[in-house]
Amino acid sequence: SVPLYNETRTGCKPFLEIFIDGERVYTSCSKENMDKIRNFTIEDGMIEIPIEMSVQGNILIVVHHIKAVPAKSTAMGMSAVKMLQFQFHTGFVPPNTSTFTIQRNELDGSAARRIEKFPNPFKVMLDLQVDTATRKEIDVVWQQLPHQLTHPLACFSTAQEQEEVLSLFGGSNSSAHIVSSKTTPIIPDQGYSQLM
């Protein structure tokens, strides 16, 4: 569904920003194209913003609505209102993932509680491709930590849980991406929370 952020509560005029490790690396809006950004309505049923870029590390995606304001308020007569944001680390995305779904209640901040702005069933879907040819072992999150400070069992409730996670996502003492019969494999279209 389409978020309801325009004055008539019939849709929004969205743009997004992508941050890697806190640094903005992409925006779909600039001074030059701000007036050309499409206005989406409930009748559209969904918003699609194509992005062609590679990312690695801590990823934050923020989606804004462009709001028209009196020309005296801003130089361009428009301002941005944050609608939603979500984040993930590429080290937790399994290699065979093609779609990444985030439900409304999994969004960061107040978006999950703003039911009047996000009609059911609202969700964010990212179509992606994991580049296994260039993915490095260091991309596994816990391998980036200094080894003398790591205590893996502090992250898990049992040794079996630790073994299952290592078999799913790889690690120094396991064969990467081997799922034992005791584990349930992660199915990407069941939601973002299963990746964490």
Side-chain angles (χ1 to χ4, degrees):
S1 61
V2 175
L4 308 177
Y5 270 80
N6 59 16
E7 289 183 18
T8 58
R9 297 286 187 252
T10 58
C12 64
K13 190 172 185 177
F15 77 93
L16 62 84
E17 297 177 301
I18 299 176
F19 297 81
I20 299 177
D21 295 324
E23 181 181 338
R24 188 173 79 174
V25 295
Y26 176 82
T27 181
S28 62
C29 180
S30 65
K31 290 179 183 179
E32 294 78 32
N33 76 348
M34 186 177 283
D35 58 340
K36 295 176 185 149
I37 292 178
R38 181 173 168 207
N39 204 4
F40 290 87
T41 65
I42 297 169
E43 289 78 30
D44 292 313
M46 63 180 267
I47 297 170
E48 187 172 331
I49 303 174
I51 305 165
E52 294 288 331
M53 70 179 300
S54 296
V55 295
Q56 184 174 5
N58 289 313
I59 310 302
L60 170 65
I61 299 178
V62 182
V63 183
H64 301 274
H65 163 66
I66 296 177
K67 179 180 178 182
V69 295
K72 293 179 183 178
S73 301
T74 65
M76 296 174 283
M78 298 188 186
S79 68
V81 176
K82 181 165 53 168
M83 293 192 293
L84 61 97
Q85 73 177 34
F86 58 94
Q87 51 196 331
F88 62 96
H89 193 288
T90 57
F92 286 107
V93 179
N96 59 347
T97 302
S98 61
T99 302
F100 191 77
T101 303
I102 301 108
Q103 302 296 332
R104 184 183 69 201
N105 64 342
E106 297 169 317
L107 296 170
D108 296 342
S110 64
R113 296 183 298 278
R114 306 216 49 197
I115 297 169
E116 75 283 359
K117 300 240 185 218
F118 295 93
N120 275 330
F122 182 83
K123 62 185 171 187
V124 176
M125 294 178 68
L126 295 176
D127 291 329
L128 55 92
Q129 179 179 358
V130 178
D131 186 357
T132 55
T134 59
R135 186 174 182 160
K136 301 175 184 170
E137 269 302 306
I138 197 67
D139 193 34
V140 178
V141 176
W142 50 86
Q143 289 184 348
Q144 294 179 12
L145 301 172
H147 290 291
Q148 66 274 18
L149 299 177
T150 58
H151 300 285
L153 282 177
C155 298
F156 307 99
S157 58
T158 66
Q160 180 185 359
E161 181 183 18
Q162 178 188 9
E163 289 173 19
E164 290 173 356
V165 169
L166 290 175
S167 71
L168 282 170
F169 298 108
S172 57
N173 295 328
S174 70
S175 299
H177 316 298
I178 296 175
V179 180
S180 74
S181 61
K182 298 176 190 172
T183 63
T184 303
I186 292 176
I187 301 170
D189 66 351
Q190 287 187 347
Y192 174 68
S193 64
Q194 296 217 358
L195 296 175
M196 299 302 281

